[in-house]
């Protein structure tokens, strides 16, 4: 019985082989490895799946660190809660049933051996993937390196985690403002929200954030809507450089009407946990800075010995091949792709990425099936159909086939177009249901805590500012990485300088170890970078690091005697 | 004009004062502070708001660490994705418009000074709240203390964060199993899911988890459904001790039919990241352990000098007052409340908490309005209406007014009853929409990464097991807190013992610092507790802790020479 079954299956396979082109054995099949699961990567895999047909003469592997594809145009709506948390993303497995998905971080790429090493599992076994064709579609990341205080304090806006983090941070600020009723300065900082970058991404975030915070504040008895300030910083002369001047100005008018303060020709210089510092030296007190700029290609791109432009993007030719490399393809935001008629380079938009994916998939299949009947290689050529950006609250701007549309009509078009562009009917239904419920129900206020406060993190402080004040609760220990600070105690009306601290030195351990409030104020004398260690993490470290524990104890006893001397009495 | 307005307002207030009982000035108003935002706390506030009426003779403050109320009976559905992530919770602000909500951690309670200190803001200012009446409704927490390896490796199931964490952990395991095709042992561990505790909570989780993982696995090309194993551990003779034997056995039958392996009379002894160890010495290889047991009252309860029973719950009288304390009330899962007719104590269920809340609110108002027209104090008395538990996938068990119901009918009753019990029409609409979409659409596969892997964490290993193996990727450094381990290297076919390590010693730093794979295997010679420091956090620590960096370097050079000696050659 079992044997007969096998025979039948084999002959069926043979027939299929004869009909649809011989099904190759596993070892002979070429492997296309795609790195990145954004528009460029997912659509390349989708076009490859279509070309695969019944032949099965190659296999497709896609490596992405998340198991979902982010539909970027709707991500800002996650911030406001207009759509459900998972509505803006689609599980890649469902989109690509014939692709082998590896949800992993990429450790390294070896172009000579033609391998990609991935890792990040429950078990750190390295996993080496051999490839015949490599597709680099890693997109871009928001890159705060080299900007004072931004890596520590600015919130990026790229993926689902970022959108949730922004949302929760904003709710946290509202909750705190509802409790802190007396400290006017702190309330002002809590209720000021700053977004940097006036492109589509920044404008969509500021619009949704503004809608959300003003709507949500109504549920807070102790917040007056007039206290809320939402600021958009933009380096250019007007926002939305992607569209015509008329639409850009329209967007500015709408945002202003809704209460967004727009600061043009303004650049960020630095940020701390308490304020944003502009290049003209002005400061805006805020606890919330979202920054959509600057962006740079994925770090793994930097590690490859491939031609790149100044911005670090890979130089591809119009066939989407990386110049000078064999069987390495690059597309999407991490690549520079020339437009066919010499009209410059392809802009980093989803529409272009999708068209590039189609061409890349065709050309890859052509090279795999060379000599069989793969057809001719194609060059990339595409003129975009339009541009759209939502301004929240039933308004948008759009340019469709060059025709400018704005306001409610543009918003309806925006929703209709993006709803249909969402991959999969299930997702469309969910988003449509969410939109409907959003019209009927009040703003969602639930804060999903992500436990970020429990991590070791760097913090940046500007000269003259306090890290903490005498009498504050001791919830963390600080270790100075760079800069200097002084320890001041107020006692019987006098201010006494207890110590001056520099790199490698600790402070704040006394309150944490003794479970009391801070017994002194620490003020920066220079710009200060510290490693901030939350109480629980510090306790873990202290229990495991005997040498550090010894150092704490030494430091504490030294400080105690310094205090005694300074105060001229036993404390 | 301005002055006239004020006069009018004052006279209007005066009139209202005459009609509805004189509105007290702020200082004179009594303050009721409620700690905890579960059923007990939220319903107490709600009944107090109703009693407040127009009088305004007291104010209500509720302190909770989340800004939402968790509707526990639906939380398990978040694990399976049958409802949206935020559907099982309600923002407390919306439920309690006249209550002052403080979203804060409770630092301490001072019963003598009648104050509650809270903290956890962007700024660590302590916030001291004075109270006239204190309501302790802090519920219970899952408490793994004293259980070997459980604090490190078991996932609790109490709040929204826990439900999401379980869901993401399970998806992570599926993703890893989809990549790890050759290591049979690892695959088995990845695809085995263990839930400990066969009460309502454990049964609901195991049912939803089982449904989810079996349904989701269909989207994974490289996972065979027969590889999946879901195990429920229960200490008693049958699951669901809360209901009659007949229903308990029915639930067992249903779960078994769906593929859940039930192990009765079985207790957990220990857990590691790789396996669960039972009290009879048997082991189950698994990467996923969810435990709903044991539970104990909130830690702040322990810190109070109030009468408690052996399990740590506060002793309240039938008026819900804590024995021997004045104006301190206790109810819900953190309290022992006697039933009126001497029929034992009130069980820890939502129904009882709600009825207790009604009585507590009445008695608090009575004491505030003593001598006015507050009425008589009431004693708590309640017989519950029924018990219900969902078994996932259109089946449930219920006991309603003592009548047992099971199967599809019980499931329909379950859904109808809990939908109507959900607070607020908005939430009901959302849940109904989610349920509808869940019937139409495939299981949601999106993994919302919560960045937990980036934290310092403790890990537990059993004797004879490897922490890591030679050739693994070096993604973290370990510091021994307790126990011993040996460092072994395989070289030219020989296994050489390089070192033996004990408390306070590091290992694994070489691979992390040099960005290579592990050059040796570390195996435990005793049960081992380590602090596991992820790469990024380790780099932050190394940059900030010069003394530790120096120690690393010393250790590394010592180990290098030890290796040279052991191998008799230069490495």
């Amino acid at each position: 019985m079992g044997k007969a079954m096998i025979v039948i299956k084999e002959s069926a396979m043979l027939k299929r082989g004869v009909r649809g082109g011989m099904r190759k054995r596993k070892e002979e099949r070429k492997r296309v490895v795609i790195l990145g699961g954004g528009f460029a990567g997912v659509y390349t895999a989708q076009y490859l799946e279509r070309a695969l047909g019944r032949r099965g003469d190659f296999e497709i592997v896609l490596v992405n660190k998340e198991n979902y594809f982010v539909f970027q145009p709707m991500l800002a709506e996650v911030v406001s809660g207009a759509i459900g948390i998972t509505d803006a993303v689609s599980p890649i497995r469902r989109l690509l049933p014939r692709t082998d998905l590896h949800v992993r971080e990429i450790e390294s790429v070896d172009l000579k051996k033609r391998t990609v090493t991935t890792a990040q599992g429950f078990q750190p076994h390295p996993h080496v993937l051999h490839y015949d064709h490599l597709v680099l579609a890693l997109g871009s990341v928001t890159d705060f390196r080299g900007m004072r205080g931004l890596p520590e304090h600015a919130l990026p806006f790229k993926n689902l985690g970022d959108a949730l983090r922004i949302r929760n941070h904003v709710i946290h600020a509202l909750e705190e403002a509802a409790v802190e009723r007396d400290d006017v300065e702190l309330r002002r900082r809590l209720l000021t929200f700053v977004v940097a970058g006036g492109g589509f991404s920044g404008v969509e975030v500021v619009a949704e954030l503004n809608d959300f915070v003003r709507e949500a504040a109504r549920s807070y008895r102790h917040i007056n809507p007039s206290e809320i300030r939402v600021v958009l910083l933009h380096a250019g002369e007007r926002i939305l450089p992607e569209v015509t001047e008329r639409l850009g100005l329209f967007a500015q008018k709408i945002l202003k009407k809704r209460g967004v303060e727009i600061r043009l020709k303004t650049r960020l210089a630095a940020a701390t946990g308490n304020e944003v510092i502009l290049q003209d030296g002005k400061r805006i007190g805020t606890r919330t800075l979202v920054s959509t700029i600057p962006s740079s290609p994925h770090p793994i791109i930097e590690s490859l010995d491939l031609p790149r432009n100044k911005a670090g993007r890979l130089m591809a030719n119009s066939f989407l091949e990386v110049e000078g490399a064999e069987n390495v393809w690059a597309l999407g935001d991490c690549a520079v792709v020339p437009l066919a008629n010499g009209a410059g380079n392809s802009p980093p938009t989803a529409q272009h990425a999708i068209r590039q994916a189609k061409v890349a998939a065709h050309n890859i299949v052509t090279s795999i099936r060379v000599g069989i009947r793969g057809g001719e290689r194609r060059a990339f050529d595409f003129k975009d159909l339009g541009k759209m950006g939502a301004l929240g609250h039933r308004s948008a701007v759009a340019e469709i086939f060059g025709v400018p549309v704005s306001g409610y009509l543009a918003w309806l078009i925006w929703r209709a177009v993006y709803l249909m562009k969402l991959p999969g009917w299930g997702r469309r239904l969910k988003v449509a249901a969410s939109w409907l419920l959003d019209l009927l129900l009040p703003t969602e206020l639930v804060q999903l805590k992500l436990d970020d406060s429990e991590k070791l993190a760097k913090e940046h402080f500007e000269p003259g500012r306090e890290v903490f004040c005498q009498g504050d609760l001791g919830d963390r220990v600080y270790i100075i990485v760079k800069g200097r600070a002084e320890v001041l105690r107020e006692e019987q009306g006098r201010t006494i300088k207890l110590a001056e601290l520099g790199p490698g030195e600790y402070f704040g351990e006394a309150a944490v170890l003794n479970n009391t409030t801070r017994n002194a104020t620490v003020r920066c004398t220079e710009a200060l970078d510290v490693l901030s260690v939350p109480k629980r993490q510090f306790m873990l470290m202290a229990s495991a690091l005997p040498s550090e524990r010894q150092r704490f104890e030494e430091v504490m006893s030294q400080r105690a005697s310094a205090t005694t001397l300074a105060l001229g009495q036993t404390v």
Side-chain angles (χ1 to χ4, degrees), chain A:
Chain A
M1 177 68 197
K3 215 167 182 183
M5 282 285 289
I6 290 167
V7 173
I8 290 164
K9 270 190 187 160
E10 270 177 358
S11 87
M13 260 180 75
L14 219 64
K15 269 185 211 153
R16 226 182 292 142
V18 171
R19 270 211 313 273
M22 194 63 189
R23 184 179 292 260
K24 302 249 173 122
R25 262 187 304 147
K26 213 175 176 178
E27 305 83 69
E28 290 170 23
R29 273 196 274 162
K30 300 277 185 196
R31 185 187 280 161
V32 184
V33 174
I34 302 167
L35 305 186
F39 278 100
V42 165
Y43 277 83
T44 302
Q46 205 158 57
Y47 287 116
L48 284 172
E49 284 195 2
R50 282 188 209 165
L52 190 58
R54 279 190 181 164
R55 287 204 192 185
D57 53 347
F58 58 89
E59 56 176 331
I60 313 159
V61 178
L62 192 146
V63 185
N64 193 40
K65 71 171 178 177
E66 308 283 0
N67 81 345
Y68 55 79
F69 159 73
V70 179
F71 193 70
Q72 288 285 345
M74 282 188 188
L75 200 55
E77 299 210 7
V78 173
V79 175
S80 68
I83 58 175
I85 290 168
T86 58
D87 288 355
V89 302
S90 293
I92 293 176
R93 271 174 210 290
R94 291 267 158 72
L95 297 176
L96 303 171
R98 300 182 73 188
T99 297
D100 195 1
L101 174 67
H102 290 220
V103 180
R104 287 275 176 107
E105 294 273 1
I106 301 158
E107 281 285 319
S108 61
V109 175
D110 189 324
L111 295 169
K112 283 201 188 103
K113 292 186 189 155
R114 300 200 168 186
T115 55
V116 172
T117 305
T118 67
Q120 162 147 9
F122 284 101
Q123 204 137 314
H125 290 318
H127 199 93
V128 179
L129 273 165
H130 177 265
Y131 65 80
D132 297 293
H133 287 268
L134 180 68
V135 180
L136 297 165
L138 288 159
S140 63
V141 295
T142 309
D143 185 4
F144 297 137
R145 280 179 302 180
M147 298 185 72
R148 214 163 79 233
L150 263 76
E152 293 87 352
H153 300 287
L155 298 162
F157 177 69
K158 265 282 165 193
N159 60 35
L160 189 57
D162 296 338
L164 265 179
R165 209 163 285 123
I166 292 169
R167 179 186 166 76
N168 289 329
H169 187 90
V170 169
I171 298 176
H172 190 181
L174 292 175
E175 294 294 350
E176 282 300 305
V179 176
E180 295 285 356
R181 284 167 215 159
D182 308 318
D183 189 335
V184 180
E185 185 49 44
L186 176 57
R187 279 183 76 84
R188 195 175 296 148
R189 288 199 299 266
L190 287 168
L191 295 173
T192 299
F193 304 91
V194 178
V195 176
F200 269 133
S201 176
V203 165
E204 289 182 352
V205 171
V206 84
E208 293 288 338
L209 193 151
N210 183 59
D211 278 4
F212 171 65
V213 78
R214 289 183 192 279
E215 169 76 26
R218 287 197 222 158
S219 297
Y220 290 77
R221 302 161 74 214
H222 297 278
I223 295 176
N224 186 330
S226 67
E227 290 179 282
I228 292 171
R229 204 176 147 201
V230 178
V231 185
L232 176 66
L233 308 177
H234 182 59
E237 304 249 327
R238 64 163 177 93
I239 62 169
L240 293 184
E242 297 95 334
V243 296
T244 60
E245 190 172 351
R246 201 180 112 191
L247 285 179
L249 294 178
F250 172 82
Q252 276 176 209
K253 207 178 79 188
I254 291 288
L255 289 179
K256 276 184 192 159
K257 215 170 96 186
R258 299 254 172 78
V260 177
E261 193 181 317
I262 301 175
R263 294 222 186 165
L264 300 170
K265 294 181 269 180
T266 304
R267 281 171 197 277
L268 270 181
T272 73
N274 267 323
E275 60 189 353
V276 161
I277 298 139
L278 307 175
Q279 280 192 351
D280 61 7
K282 283 188 191 137
R283 286 153 191 259
I284 305 174
T286 182
R287 289 278 180 172
T288 312
L289 168 64
V290 177
S291 185
T292 60
I293 47 164
S295 77
S296 73
H298 192 281
I300 210 86
I301 300 282
E302 275 179 31
S303 73
L304 299 175
D305 185 22
L306 290 173
R308 296 193 295 273
N309 75 354
K310 267 187 207 162
R313 292 165 72 191
L314 290 166
M315 303 301 289
N317 61 24
S318 60
F319 300 105
L320 282 329
E321 257 178 338
V322 177
E323 294 284 0
E326 211 187 332
N327 292 349
V328 179
W329 312 79
L331 65 162
D333 290 8
C334 73
V336 187
V337 181
L339 289 169
N341 45 6
N345 294 318
S346 184
T349 68
Q351 284 179 56
H352 280 85
I354 293 170
R355 294 306 168 118
Q356 288 170 6
K358 192 171 184 178
V359 175
H362 173 87
N363 291 345
I364 291 167
V365 173
T366 306
S367 1
I368 289 172
R369 293 179 185 160
V370 67
I372 310 177
R373 45 155 213 174
E376 289 284 300
R377 284 191 161 204
R378 264 185 235 149
F380 172 71
D381 185 21
F382 175 63
K383 197 177 171 311
D384 61 3
L385 310 168
K387 292 166 190 128
M388 289 193 289
L391 303 174
H393 228 74
R394 293 168 217 187
S395 193
V397 287
E399 232 175 80
I400 297 154
F401 299 116
V403 181
V405 195
S406 61
Y408 191 59
L409 178 66
W411 182 76
L412 285 179
I413 296 173
W414 187 97
R415 285 216 157 170
V417 168
Y418 282 125
L419 191 62
M420 294 321 295
K421 275 197 177 174
L422 259 186
W425 276 102
R427 206 56 52 169
R428 280 173 216 156
L429 201 58
K430 279 200 173 178
V431 169
S434 293
W435 279 344
L436 186 69
L437 288 173
D438 182 51
L439 292 178
L440 301 172
L441 301 177
T443 313
E444 178 65 83
L445 280 187
V446 170
Q447 183 195 10
L448 254 183
K449 283 187 187 164
L450 297 175
D451 277 350
D452 282 342
S453 60
E454 282 294 302
K455 273 197 278 184
L456 293 188
K458 277 197 176 178
E459 289 185 48
H460 175 78
F461 295 88
E462 290 284 294
R465 303 284 169 166
E466 284 87 20
V467 177
F468 55 70
C469 297
Q470 197 170 332
D472 283 353
L473 280 174
D475 62 343
R476 49 188 62 227
V477 172
Y478 298 88
I479 308 167
I480 300 181
V481 177
K482 213 177 124 190
R484 304 194 70 78
E486 52 187 8
V487 184
L488 306 168
R489 184 179 298 175
E490 217 155 306
E491 186 103 14
Q492 298 154 336
R494 291 182 300 159
T495 301
I496 303 148
K497 182 163 154 182
L498 296 181
E500 210 181 300
L501 305 174
E505 293 191 276
Y506 294 81
F507 58 90
E509 72 294 333
V512 169
L513 290 175
N514 304 332
N515 236 331
T516 57
T517 53
R518 301 293 187 193
N519 59 17
T521 295
V522 173
R523 180 178 295 139
C524 309
T525 49
E526 294 172 13
L528 192 74
D529 287 320
V530 294
L531 182 66
S532 139
V533 187
K535 195 167 179 171
R536 254 175 261 187
Q537 305 271 294
F538 177 75
M539 291 312 202
L540 279 176
M541 273 169 66
S543 73
L545 297 172
S547 64
E548 287 306 311
R549 198 163 41 203
Q550 203 185 326
R551 240 187 97 214
F552 295 141
E553 280 157 14
E554 282 166 26
V555 168
M556 279 175 71
S557 71
Q558 277 168 21
R559 283 189 193 161
S561 46
T563 312
T564 315
L565 285 174
L567 295 172
Q569 61 172 60
T570 319
V571 183

